[in-house]
């Protein structure tokens, strides 16, 4: 550190000069909180991994020491001979790695061992409890995270990756989630889905929460047998609530001998679709990195049926990455292609098509027939277009005739209006003449009356 307490990075390899080298996001900018220790990551592979930084039980971070060890790991990987804990890790990638803007931009939090279910493949059930007992008394992290943010050591838009134990049961989970979401962080929460945090449904940042949940069963009895708790319905309900709140949800299915029945696969797919899930990860138990053929076939069936149901499916996570050189992914892909061919054969047979040994031959015949059918339809469509063109021409002629009739009607209306005006004028003239005749009649009668009266007076000598 300098006199102001700021960290001085090892400058032996200038970080602004970039070249292609083996590394990963964790080595470049990550830190992982484990039980009583700090690591570069919490990725386990080949019974190794978790590059060690320092012992730790809460409080201020030994940041200068962490950055020095991280740079040593980076230099070792750049040399072409990966660091001992990194050697063979499936996450190593050779590319240009840009210099980070902050000392830490990726945080793993997995120092908590408590869980509210008992998955039969989980290390909490398969390992000696003494190896994780300290995780039942986890150190506090809220103030540490707040300090890292306030000092600018932790990027505001960092990625927080939660593991455990069940992270949502950790007493500071809700507070750390709220604090870092407000600052701009993105969260990956590896949860069993039993608990729904209170913040879900209230935060406006739910789109920055990605829940990864291992459901691992379609039938309640299978779930109960694997996890020793009857929580399957609650898990589906909570996952639906996550989705409704705007979180991204990825469902996991770790395929084992005890959960690979058709009944489980079908029930699982149906329920995943019903809650609106879109993403599915399939994986193997990392304690059995070379799975039996039945497991591989079950993964392929589940991948095929989930894909047909509209889910985006990918294979491989912690289990497959534990020893990727076993090429289980290739076995799964081959089984998946076989599953698709079998489904094509089933569809053809259900439609009473003759299916030869080479299914692709039958499909090729169908495609050829389809093309011929489409060509015939194209001819019919062209004929219809010609008929429509003739109808349009006929309609245009009718429209012209109608326009002529409208013009003639307009002339008739004008003629009628002129006649109406003449009739009104003649009526007015007749009315005036009638009024004059009535006036003259009354005046004549009056004159005659006066003349008669005068004659009478003359006759009487008045």
């Amino acid at each position: 550190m300098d006199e102001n307490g700021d960290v001085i990075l090892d400058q032996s390899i200038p970080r602004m000069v970039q070249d292609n080298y083996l590394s990963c996001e964790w080595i470049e900018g990550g830190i992982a909180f484990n039980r009583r220790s700090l690591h570069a990551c919490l990725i386990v592979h080949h019974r190794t991994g978790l590059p060690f930084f320092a012992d730790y039980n809460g409080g201020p971070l030994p940041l200068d020491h962490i950055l020095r060890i991280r740079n040593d790991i980076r230099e070792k990987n750049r040399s072409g001979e990966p660091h001992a804990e990194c050697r063979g890790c499936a996450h190593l990638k050779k590319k240009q790695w840009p210099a980070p803007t902050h000392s830490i931009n990726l945080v793993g939090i997995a120092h908590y061992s408590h869980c509210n279910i008992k998955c039969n493949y989980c290390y909490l059930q398969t390992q000696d409890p003494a190896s994780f007992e300290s995780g039942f008394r986890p150190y506090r992290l809220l103030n540490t995270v707040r300090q890292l943010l306030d000092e600018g050591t932790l990027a505001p838009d960092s990625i927080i990756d939660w593991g455990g134990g069940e992270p949502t049961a950790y007493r500071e989970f809700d507070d750390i989630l709220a604090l870092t979401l407000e600052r701009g962080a993105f969260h990956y929460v590896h949860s069993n889905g039993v608990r729904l945090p209170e913040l879900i449904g209230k935060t406006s940042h739910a789109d920055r929460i990605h829940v990864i949940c291992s459901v691992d069963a379609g039938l309640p009895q299978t779930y109960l047998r694997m996890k020793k708790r009857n929580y399957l319905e609650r898990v589906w309900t909570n996952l639906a609530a996550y989705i409704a709140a705007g979180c991204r949800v990825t469902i996991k299915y770790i395929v084992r001998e005890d959960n690979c029945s058709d009944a489980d696969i079908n029930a699982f797919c149906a329920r995943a679709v019903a809650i609106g899930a879109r993403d599915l990860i399939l994986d193997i138990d990392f304690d059995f990195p070379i799975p039996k053929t039945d497991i591989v076939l079950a993964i392929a069936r589940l991948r095929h049926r989930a894909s047909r149901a509209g889910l985006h499916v990918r294979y491989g996570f912690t289990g497959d990455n534990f020893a990727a050189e076993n090429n289980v992914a290739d076995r799964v892909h081959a089984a998946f292609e076989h599953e698709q061919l079998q489904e094509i054969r089933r569809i053809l047979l259900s439609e009473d098509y003759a299916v030869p040994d080479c299914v692709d031959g039958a499909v090729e015949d169908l495609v050829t027939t389809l093309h011929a059918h489409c060509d015939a339809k194209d001819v019919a469509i062209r004929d219809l277009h010609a008929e429509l063109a003739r109808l349009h021409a006929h309609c245009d002629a009718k429209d012209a005739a109608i326009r002529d009739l409208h013009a003639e009607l307009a002339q008739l209306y004008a003629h009628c209006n002129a006649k109406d005006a003449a009739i009104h004028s003649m009526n007015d003239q007749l009315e005036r003449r009638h009024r004059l005749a009535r006036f003259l009649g009354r005046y004549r009668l009056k004159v005659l009356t006066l003349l008669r009266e005068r004659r009478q007076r003359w006759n009487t000598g008045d």
Side-chain angles (χ1 to χ4, degrees):
M1 293 186 179
D2 63 13
E3 61 184 4
N4 296 319
D6 294 326
V7 175
I8 302 177
L9 292 175
D10 187 346
Q11 300 298 318
S12 59
I13 298 180
R15 293 292 287 122
M16 296 306 293
V17 178
Q18 299 301 315
D19 59 351
N20 292 327
Y21 63 94
L22 279 175
S23 192
C24 74
E25 289 79 4
W26 288 98
I27 295 170
E28 294 302 307
I31 187 172
F33 294 93
N34 199 9
R35 301 176 299 275
R36 305 298 186 262
S37 58
L38 299 171
H39 299 260
C41 71
L42 294 175
I43 296 170
V44 180
H45 62 94
H46 302 89
R47 308 295 172 189
T48 183
L50 285 77
F52 180 78
F53 281 160
D55 293 326
Y56 183 73
N57 194 26
L61 292 180
L63 191 59
D64 54 343
H65 174 76
I66 290 170
L67 296 179
R68 184 167 57 253
I69 297 299
R70 180 198 287 169
N71 201 49
D72 290 344
I73 296 172
R74 186 186 299 116
E75 287 189 45
K76 184 67 174 175
N77 289 335
R78 289 170 70 110
S79 72
E81 181 62 29
H83 187 269
E85 279 96 7
C86 297
R87 191 177 301 126
C89 179
H91 293 269
L92 286 177
K93 297 182 288 289
K94 189 172 186 178
K95 68 172 192 176
Q96 279 194 354
W97 293 93
T101 57
H102 294 75
S103 298
I104 300 172
N105 53 35
L106 177 56
V107 178
I109 302 177
H111 65 314
Y112 183 55
S113 297
H114 174 74
C115 191
N116 42 22
I117 60 176
K118 297 183 178 182
C119 299
N120 57 7
Y121 55 79
C122 179
Y123 78 95
L124 295 178
Q125 312 306 319
T126 60
Q127 294 183 14
D128 181 358
S131 67
F132 54 79
E133 184 179 3
S134 58
F136 293 128
R137 302 179 305 282
Y139 46 82
R140 291 183 177 272
L141 275 179
L142 179 60
N143 289 336
T144 302
V145 172
R146 181 180 286 112
Q147 182 179 356
L148 291 174
L149 285 168
D150 292 343
E151 292 176 349
T153 302
L154 177 60
D157 59 348
S158 59
I159 293 175
I160 313 294
D161 191 79
W162 293 89
E166 169 52 37
T168 66
Y170 171 51
R171 60 185 171 181
E172 290 189 313
F173 174 83
D174 290 35
D175 292 334
I176 293 176
L177 180 69
L179 169 66
T180 51
L181 278 177
E182 193 62 34
R183 299 291 185 96
F186 187 95
H187 288 257
Y188 288 95
V189 184
H190 301 268
S191 171
N192 57 37
V194 171
R195 178 181 180 269
L196 185 68
E198 293 183 4
L199 192 62
I200 303 303
K202 298 178 181 179
T203 177
S204 59
H205 309 301
D207 59 321
R208 287 193 266 113
I209 301 173
H210 186 168
V211 178
I212 302 97
C213 179
S214 276
V215 179
D216 304 323
L219 302 176
Q221 57 268 33
T222 303
Y223 186 94
L224 177 61
R225 184 173 62 249
M226 292 183 67
K227 302 171 185 285
K228 305 300 185 291
R229 297 290 187 274
N230 189 22
Y231 289 155
L232 181 58
E233 185 60 33
R234 180 192 297 186
V235 169
W236 285 123
T237 300
N238 287 343
L239 292 178
Y242 277 119
I243 292 172
C247 302
R248 180 176 176 182
V249 170
T250 296
I251 304 174
K252 280 178 61 182
Y253 202 109
I254 298 176
V255 181
R256 294 166 40 94
E257 290 183 352
D258 50 0
N259 68 349
C260 65
S261 69
D262 278 349
D264 269 300
I265 288 173
N266 292 336
F268 172 83
C269 289
R271 194 60 184 270
V273 170
I275 69 166
R278 293 291 179 268
D279 297 310
L280 170 63
I281 293 176
L282 304 177
D283 203 8
I284 57 175
D285 186 342
F286 74 90
D287 283 326
F288 301 94
I290 304 179
K292 296 179 180 179
T293 300
D294 289 348
I295 301 300
V296 173
L297 294 178
I299 294 173
R301 286 200 310 276
L302 179 50
R303 178 181 173 184
H304 178 259
R305 293 177 193 180
S307 298
R308 287 288 297 269
L311 276 73
H312 175 263
V313 187
R314 70 179 179 91
Y315 166 76
F317 204 64
T318 303
D320 186 74
N321 288 337
F322 186 85
E325 70 276 5
N326 291 329
N327 295 321
V328 180
D330 291 342
R331 294 171 60 195
V332 169
H333 185 69
F336 176 58
E337 289 186 334
H338 176 75
E339 192 72 22
Q340 293 177 83
L341 286 174
Q342 290 297 103
E343 182 64 13
I344 291 172
R345 182 184 295 274
R346 186 196 66 77
I347 292 171
L348 293 174
L349 290 174
S350 69
E351 297 293 333
D352 295 328
Y353 287 102
V355 182
D357 291 338
C358 292
V359 177
D360 59 315
V363 174
E364 185 177 13
D365 290 342
L366 284 174
V367 171
T368 301
T369 302
L370 179 61
H371 284 168
H373 178 72
C374 290
D375 290 341
K377 290 296 183 184
D378 287 341
V379 171
I381 290 171
R382 285 195 294 271
D383 292 342
L384 286 174
H385 277 301
E387 180 64 23
L388 284 173
R390 288 192 294 271
L391 288 173
H392 280 304
H394 180 71
C395 290
D396 290 342
K398 291 296 183 183
D399 287 340
I402 290 170
R403 285 194 295 272
D404 292 342
L405 287 174
H406 277 298
E408 187 175 347
L409 283 173
Q411 292 173 353
L412 289 173
Y413 279 128
H415 181 71
C416 290
N417 289 335
K419 292 295 184 182
D420 286 342
I423 290 170
H424 286 307
S425 177
M426 292 176 67
N427 284 336
D428 291 342
Q429 292 177 13
L430 286 173
E431 181 62 27
R432 285 194 295 272
R433 289 179 180 180
H434 287 159
R435 286 198 299 271
L436 180 60
R438 285 194 296 273
F439 171 75
L440 292 174
R442 288 194 298 272
Y443 184 73
R444 177 175 175 274
L445 180 61
K446 188 173 183 180
V447 169
L448 290 174
T449 301
L450 290 173
L451 289 174
R452 188 180 299 114
E453 289 176 352
R454 285 184 181 183
R455 187 179 295 120
Q456 287 174 356
R457 286 199 296 269
W458 288 341
N459 293 334
T460 58
D462 293 336

CSV table of all heavy atoms in Angstrom, one decimal, residues 334-355:
chain,number,residue,atom,x,y,z
A,334,ALA,N,-24.4,-37.9,-28.3
A,334,ALA,CA,-24.7,-39.1,-29.2
A,334,ALA,C,-26.1,-39.7,-28.8
A,334,ALA,O,-26.9,-40.1,-29.7
A,334,ALA,CB,-23.6,-40.1,-29.1
A,335,ALA,N,-26.3,-39.9,-27.5
A,335,ALA,CA,-27.6,-40.5,-27.1
A,335,ALA,C,-28.7,-39.6,-27.4
A,335,ALA,O,-29.8,-40.0,-27.7
A,335,ALA,CB,-27.5,-40.7,-25.5
A,336,PHE,N,-28.5,-38.2,-27.4
A,336,PHE,CA,-29.6,-37.3,-27.7
A,336,PHE,C,-29.9,-37.4,-29.2
A,336,PHE,O,-31.1,-37.4,-29.6
A,336,PHE,CB,-29.1,-35.9,-27.4
A,336,PHE,CG,-30.0,-34.8,-27.8
A,336,PHE,CD1,-31.3,-34.7,-27.3
A,336,PHE,CD2,-29.6,-33.8,-28.6
A,336,PHE,CE1,-32.2,-33.7,-27.7
A,336,PHE,CE2,-30.5,-32.8,-29.0
A,336,PHE,CZ,-31.8,-32.7,-28.5
A,337,GLU,N,-28.9,-37.5,-30.1
A,337,GLU,CA,-29.2,-37.7,-31.5
A,337,GLU,C,-29.9,-39.1,-31.7
A,337,GLU,O,-30.9,-39.1,-32.5
A,337,GLU,CB,-27.9,-37.7,-32.3
A,337,GLU,CG,-27.2,-36.3,-32.3
A,337,GLU,CD,-26.0,-36.3,-33.2
A,337,GLU,OE1,-25.4,-37.4,-33.4
A,337,GLU,OE2,-25.7,-35.2,-33.8
A,338,HIS,N,-29.5,-40.1,-31.0
A,338,HIS,CA,-30.3,-41.4,-31.1
A,338,HIS,C,-31.7,-41.2,-30.7
A,338,HIS,O,-32.6,-41.8,-31.3
A,338,HIS,CB,-29.6,-42.4,-30.3
A,338,HIS,CG,-30.3,-43.8,-30.3
A,338,HIS,ND1,-30.2,-44.6,-31.3
A,338,HIS,CD2,-31.0,-44.4,-29.3
A,338,HIS,CE1,-30.9,-45.7,-31.1
A,338,HIS,NE2,-31.4,-45.6,-29.8
A,339,GLU,N,-31.9,-40.5,-29.6
A,339,GLU,CA,-33.3,-40.2,-29.1
A,339,GLU,C,-34.1,-39.5,-30.2
A,339,GLU,O,-35.3,-39.8,-30.4
A,339,GLU,CB,-33.2,-39.4,-27.8
A,339,GLU,CG,-34.5,-39.3,-27.1
A,339,GLU,CD,-34.9,-40.6,-26.4
A,339,GLU,OE1,-34.0,-41.4,-26.1
A,339,GLU,OE2,-36.1,-40.8,-26.1
A,340,GLN,N,-33.5,-38.6,-30.9
A,340,GLN,CA,-34.3,-37.9,-31.9
A,340,GLN,C,-34.6,-38.8,-33.1
A,340,GLN,O,-35.7,-38.8,-33.6
A,340,GLN,CB,-33.4,-36.7,-32.4
A,340,GLN,CG,-33.2,-35.6,-31.4
A,340,GLN,CD,-32.3,-34.5,-31.9
A,340,GLN,OE1,-32.8,-33.6,-32.6
A,340,GLN,NE2,-31.0,-34.6,-31.6
A,341,LEU,N,-33.6,-39.7,-33.5
A,341,LEU,CA,-33.9,-40.6,-34.5
A,341,LEU,C,-35.0,-41.6,-34.1
A,341,LEU,O,-35.9,-41.9,-35.0
A,341,LEU,CB,-32.6,-41.4,-34.9
A,341,LEU,CG,-31.6,-40.7,-35.6
A,341,LEU,CD1,-30.3,-41.5,-35.8
A,341,LEU,CD2,-32.1,-40.3,-37.0
A,342,GLN,N,-35.0,-42.0,-32.9
A,342,GLN,CA,-36.1,-42.9,-32.4
A,342,GLN,C,-37.4,-42.2,-32.5
A,342,GLN,O,-38.5,-42.8,-32.8
A,342,GLN,CB,-35.8,-43.4,-31.0
A,342,GLN,CG,-34.6,-44.3,-30.9
A,342,GLN,CD,-34.9,-45.6,-31.7
A,342,GLN,OE1,-34.4,-45.9,-32.8
A,342,GLN,NE2,-35.7,-46.5,-31.1
A,343,GLU,N,-37.4,-40.9,-32.1
A,343,GLU,CA,-38.7,-40.2,-32.2
A,343,GLU,C,-39.2,-40.0,-33.6
A,343,GLU,O,-40.4,-40.1,-33.9
A,343,GLU,CB,-38.5,-38.8,-31.5
A,343,GLU,CG,-39.8,-38.0,-31.4
A,343,GLU,CD,-40.9,-38.6,-30.6
A,343,GLU,OE1,-40.6,-39.5,-29.8
A,343,GLU,OE2,-42.0,-38.1,-30.7
A,344,ILE,N,-38.2,-39.8,-34.5
A,344,ILE,CA,-38.6,-39.7,-35.9
A,344,ILE,C,-39.2,-41.0,-36.4
A,344,ILE,O,-40.3,-41.0,-37.1
A,344,ILE,CB,-37.4,-39.3,-36.8
A,344,ILE,CG1,-36.9,-37.9,-36.5
A,344,ILE,CG2,-37.7,-39.5,-38.3
A,344,ILE,CD1,-35.6,-37.5,-37.2
A,345,ARG,N,-38.6,-42.1,-36.0
A,345,ARG,CA,-39.1,-43.4,-36.4
A,345,ARG,C,-40.5,-43.6,-35.8
A,345,ARG,O,-41.5,-44.1,-36.5
A,345,ARG,CB,-38.2,-44.5,-35.9
A,345,ARG,CG,-38.6,-45.9,-36.3
A,345,ARG,CD,-37.7,-47.0,-35.7
A,345,ARG,NE,-36.4,-46.8,-36.2
A,345,ARG,CZ,-36.0,-47.4,-37.3
A,345,ARG,NH1,-36.8,-48.2,-38.0
A,345,ARG,NH2,-34.7,-47.3,-37.8
A,346,ARG,N,-40.7,-43.2,-34.6
A,346,ARG,CA,-42.0,-43.4,-33.9
A,346,ARG,C,-43.1,-42.5,-34.7
A,346,ARG,O,-44.2,-43.0,-34.9
A,346,ARG,CB,-42.0,-42.9,-32.5
A,346,ARG,CG,-43.3,-43.2,-31.7
A,346,ARG,CD,-43.3,-42.4,-30.4
A,346,ARG,NE,-43.4,-41.0,-30.6
A,346,ARG,CZ,-44.5,-40.4,-31.0
A,346,ARG,NH1,-45.6,-41.0,-31.2
A,346,ARG,NH2,-44.4,-39.0,-31.1
A,347,ILE,N,-42.8,-41.3,-35.0
A,347,ILE,CA,-43.7,-40.4,-35.7
A,347,ILE,C,-44.1,-41.0,-37.1
A,347,ILE,O,-45.3,-41.1,-37.4
A,347,ILE,CB,-43.1,-39.0,-35.9
A,347,ILE,CG1,-43.0,-38.3,-34.5
A,347,ILE,CG2,-44.0,-38.2,-36.8
A,347,ILE,CD1,-42.2,-37.0,-34.5
A,348,LEU,N,-43.1,-41.5,-37.8
A,348,LEU,CA,-43.4,-42.1,-39.1
A,348,LEU,C,-44.3,-43.3,-39.0
A,348,LEU,O,-45.2,-43.5,-39.8
A,348,LEU,CB,-42.0,-42.5,-39.8
A,348,LEU,CG,-41.1,-41.3,-40.2
A,348,LEU,CD1,-39.8,-41.9,-40.7
A,348,LEU,CD2,-41.8,-40.4,-41.2
A,349,LEU,N,-44.0,-44.2,-38.0
A,349,LEU,CA,-44.8,-45.4,-37.8
A,349,LEU,C,-46.2,-45.0,-37.4
A,349,LEU,O,-47.2,-45.7,-37.8
A,349,LEU,CB,-44.1,-46.3,-36.8
A,349,LEU,CG,-42.8,-47.0,-37.3
A,349,LEU,CD1,-42.2,-47.8,-36.1
A,349,LEU,CD2,-43.1,-47.9,-38.4
A,350,SER,N,-46.3,-44.0,-36.6
A,350,SER,CA,-47.7,-43.6,-36.1
A,350,SER,C,-48.5,-43.1,-37.3
A,350,SER,O,-49.8,-43.1,-37.2
A,350,SER,CB,-47.6,-42.6,-35.0
A,350,SER,OG,-47.1,-41.3,-35.5
A,351,GLU,N,-47.9,-42.6,-38.3
A,351,GLU,CA,-48.6,-42.1,-39.5
A,351,GLU,C,-48.7,-43.2,-40.6
A,351,GLU,O,-49.0,-42.9,-41.8
A,351,GLU,CB,-47.9,-40.9,-40.0
A,351,GLU,CG,-47.9,-39.7,-39.1
A,351,GLU,CD,-49.3,-39.2,-38.8
A,351,GLU,OE1,-50.1,-39.3,-39.8
A,351,GLU,OE2,-49.6,-38.6,-37.8
A,352,ASP,N,-48.3,-44.4,-40.3
A,352,ASP,CA,-48.4,-45.6,-41.2
A,352,ASP,C,-47.4,-45.5,-42.4
A,352,ASP,O,-47.7,-45.9,-43.5
A,352,ASP,CB,-49.9,-45.7,-41.7
A,352,ASP,CG,-50.8,-46.1,-40.6
A,352,ASP,OD1,-50.4,-46.8,-39.7
A,352,ASP,OD2,-52.0,-45.7,-40.7
A,353,TYR,N,-46.3,-44.8,-42.1
A,353,TYR,CA,-45.3,-44.8,-43.2
A,353,TYR,C,-44.4,-46.0,-43.0
A,353,TYR,O,-44.1,-46.5,-41.9
A,353,TYR,CB,-44.4,-43.6,-43.1
A,353,TYR,CG,-45.1,-42.3,-43.5
A,353,TYR,CD1,-45.6,-41.4,-42.6
A,353,TYR,CD2,-45.2,-42.0,-44.9
A,353,TYR,CE1,-46.2,-40.2,-43.0
A,353,TYR,CE2,-45.8,-40.8,-45.3
A,353,TYR,CZ,-46.3,-40.0,-44.4
A,353,TYR,OH,-46.9,-38.8,-44.8
A,354,ALA,N,-43.9,-46.6,-44.1
A,354,ALA,CA,-43.0,-47.7,-44.0
A,354,ALA,C,-41.6,-47.1,-43.7
A,354,ALA,O,-41.1,-46.2,-44.4
A,354,ALA,CB,-42.9,-48.4,-45.4
A,355,VAL,N,-41.0,-47.6,-42.7
A,355,VAL,CA,-39.7,-47.1,-42.2
A,355,VAL,C,-38.6,-48.1,-42.5
A,355,VAL,O,-38.6,-49.1,-41.8
A,355,VAL,CB,-39.7,-46.7,-40.7
A,355,VAL,CG1,-38.4,-46.1,-40.3
A,355,VAL,CG2,-40.9,-45.8,-40.4
